[in-house]
Amino acid sequence: MSNPFEDAEGTYLVLVNHEAQYSLWPSFAEVPAGWTVALPATDRESALAHIGEQWTDMRPKSLADAMDGAAA
């Protein structure tokens, strides 16, 4: 069996959690608790492009907020 996260022909969702972290997720799999759909089912290339456009700060939101607040 091949890895469903690396299937070039697969259909994917883009998920996001409360920490503003993004994930590529196979569309056939149940969305895990704590994650919401940020981009409905699409091809892998489009999903990865969306993640690249949206996820500009790789730090978890709580860490970014704490660090940005400390710098002010």
Side-chain angles (χ1 to χ4, degrees):
M1 177 173 205
S2 65
N3 182 340
F5 291 90
E6 296 180 4
D7 181 2
E9 304 301 317
T11 303
Y12 295 88
L13 306 171
V14 173
L15 306 182
V16 64
N17 67 16
H18 70 282
E19 289 284 0
Q21 297 169 311
Y22 287 80
S23 179
L24 179 70
W25 199 256
S27 62
F28 66 82
E30 184 176 341
V31 174
W35 293 83
T36 58
V37 176
L39 182 69
T42 190
D43 61 275
R44 188 172 193 274
E45 186 176 321
S46 296
L48 289 173
H50 183 78
I51 291 171
E53 293 165 3
Q54 299 300 312
W55 199 4
T56 57
D57 188 347
M58 301 301 281
R59 300 173 297 175
K61 184 178 182 323
S62 59
L63 176 61
D65 290 349
M67 291 177 75
D68 294 346

